[in-house]
Amino acid sequence: TAVGIDPELHTGGAFKGLEHLFTEKLTDDGEVVKQMVKPGSGAIVPCRAWVKIHYSSYAEGHDEPIDSTRLRSRAHDFILGDGINIPAIDIAVASMKKNEKSRFLAGPRYCYGKMGVPPRIPKNARLLFDIEVVHFVDENMINSYDSLSPDDRRDIPHDKILILAAELREKGNENYKKAPKVAYNSYMKAVRILEGHSPANEEEEIQLQGEKVKTLLNLSQSCLDHGRTNDCRRYAGEAAELLNNEAIKNVFKLGKAHYIIHKSYVKEQKLGPAKRALEEAVRHVPDDKTIRDAFVRLEKAQERENALEKNMMEQMGENLGWRS
């Protein structure tokens, strides 16, 4: 971690005197400079990656940020290089890794120019940015896979397959609410990639199955939320079957798989199969409150169904003269 500004605080006031903290030049003219606050991990964000960041920006002489995703409680996501940001942000993010937190000083030509945006952003203003890369998905990697022949795909190293599948799963997670179809397609593509890969040994097989389970559970939940109950049960069932392997067994995920199956039957108002799936979930995670609460709801639903059936039979009996 760089020595200097507290990573959680902004000092306000003038930027003069802080320049020595920004030791990395990102542009030839030295107008965008960087201070790393917290190192990230993995690869640097590539051009055309889908990126999610948190940032706050400050104008010189101002204690409060002129813009902040944290104050809005909503991260900023974009395709790096699409031109929707001011140049300073793209240049900054293109130097960062996942989970990295860094600080940047940028001159006016990379921000809002000579005119600024008065009154919030003064004319010819330098800006200071606090940026954190929350996550990114390398669209280049995903797109390049599509262009490969079947033989070339088989030659992709095992670790790259796992990374690619994880990237697609994360893409699905990020689009789950705002673009459900994109999420579903991302999960499906990840599953197909994993199924098309032949692990070289038992260790790779275990890693492959572990990644596939996570994706199948997300895929089954996606199907459930959009009324595809048969598909939901199919994918959750596949996950449960994989989880019976002692090498990757995880009772929480196994319980989750059966709970998702239970919810698919509830959606179809098939209370008998719903109860059996829920009993299987309880067998694996007996202390889970969500599942316990589901049992209470299911019992009440069955009581209502039994009462309605009894009332209907009595009514039918009266109409047919079964009672004197």
Side-chain angles (χ1 to χ4, degrees):
T1 304
V3 177
I5 303 174
D6 186 319
E8 300 304 324
L9 299 173
H10 173 62
T11 57
F15 298 157
K16 193 170 183 180
L18 300 179
E19 286 95 337
H20 69 284
L21 299 172
F22 297 83
T23 55
E24 185 178 351
K25 287 171 57 175
L26 300 184
T27 56
D28 292 339
D29 58 10
E31 285 293 294
V32 182
V33 289
K34 174 178 179 178
Q35 176 204 20
M36 184 180 289
V37 176
K38 176 189 170 187
S41 60
I44 290 174
V45 181
C47 186
R48 305 303 303 163
W50 174 86
V51 195
K52 177 189 273 191
I53 66 171
H54 270 298
Y55 72 90
S56 296
S57 56
Y58 300 85
E60 195 161 14
H62 293 255
D63 290 324
E64 297 299 321
I66 57 173
D67 188 19
S68 175
T69 59
R70 295 195 182 280
L71 291 179
R72 294 197 296 272
S73 298
R74 183 177 180 181
H76 174 50
D77 62 278
F78 57 96
I79 301 294
L80 182 60
D82 256 8
I84 68 167
N85 302 310
I86 59 172
I89 290 181
D90 274 5
I91 292 167
V93 171
S95 75
M96 300 179 74
K97 299 179 179 181
K98 183 179 179 182
N99 295 324
E100 179 182 330
K101 293 182 181 180
S102 288
R103 189 157 281 173
F104 304 85
L105 271 179
R109 67 176 293 194
Y110 296 98
C111 298
Y112 294 94
K114 293 181 180 180
M115 300 304 295
V117 187
R120 286 177 63 234
I121 302 169
K123 295 180 179 181
N124 213 36
R126 283 197 302 173
L127 298 183
L128 184 149
F129 298 89
D130 286 322
I131 301 178
E132 176 186 5
V133 174
V134 179
H135 185 70
F136 72 86
V137 173
D138 187 352
E139 292 285 346
N140 297 311
M141 183 188 293
I142 294 170
N143 293 335
S144 65
Y145 180 88
D146 290 334
S147 65
L148 296 176
S149 69
D151 286 341
D152 288 337
R153 290 178 184 179
R154 282 192 287 270
D155 290 337
I156 299 175
H158 174 75
D159 60 335
K160 297 295 184 186
I161 288 290
L162 293 180
I163 292 170
L164 179 56
E167 292 283 346
L168 282 162
R169 177 166 51 81
E170 287 294 339
K171 182 179 180 181
N173 294 347
E174 294 297 340
N175 284 282
Y176 192 84
K177 290 184 178 178
K178 61 183 179 182
K181 189 171 182 179
V182 172
Y184 173 83
N185 289 338
S186 297
Y187 295 142
M188 282 298 301
K189 187 172 182 179
V191 169
R192 286 196 298 269
I193 287 171
L194 292 167
E195 289 178 343
H197 178 62
S198 299
N201 51 52
E202 186 177 351
E203 182 183 358
E204 289 188 0
E205 177 69 29
I206 290 168
Q207 293 171 343
L208 197 74
Q209 289 182 358
E211 181 59 40
K212 188 176 178 183
V213 162
K214 288 186 279 190
T215 308
L216 284 169
L217 288 174
N218 291 5
L219 178 58
S220 63
Q221 184 67 55
S222 175
C223 291
L224 175 68
D225 291 346
H226 297 94
R228 302 173 67 165
T229 50
N230 287 330
D231 287 339
C232 166
R233 288 193 289 273
R234 173 188 164 192
Y235 300 128
E238 285 183 30
E241 187 175 342
L242 289 172
L243 284 163
N244 282 320
N245 180 346
E246 288 296 330
I248 65 164
K249 193 161 189 175
N250 180 309
V251 292
F252 175 77
K253 288 179 181 175
L254 201 46
K256 181 180 179 181
H258 289 290
Y259 179 61
I260 291 172
I261 293 171
H262 152 77
K263 291 203 293 183
S264 75
Y265 281 122
V266 169
K267 190 163 260 193
E268 295 176 350
Q269 297 185 328
K270 296 177 179 177
L271 300 187
K275 183 177 181 181
R276 290 192 290 274
L278 198 56
E279 287 171 342
E280 192 65 21
V282 169
R283 189 167 72 83
H284 296 291
V285 279
D287 298 324
D288 188 280
K289 185 178 184 301
T290 300
I291 293 174
R292 285 292 181 190
D293 291 346
F295 242 119
V296 173
R297 292 194 300 271
L298 185 63
E299 287 174 352
K300 289 181 179 178
Q302 286 184 312
E303 287 173 4
R304 288 194 297 271
E305 186 179 77
N306 292 340
L308 284 170
E309 187 176 340
K310 182 181 178 183
N311 184 60
M312 184 175 67
M313 292 301 293
E314 288 176 349
Q315 195 68 40
M316 187 182 299
E318 288 179 2
N319 292 340
L320 294 175
W322 291 350
R323 291 184 179 181
S324 55

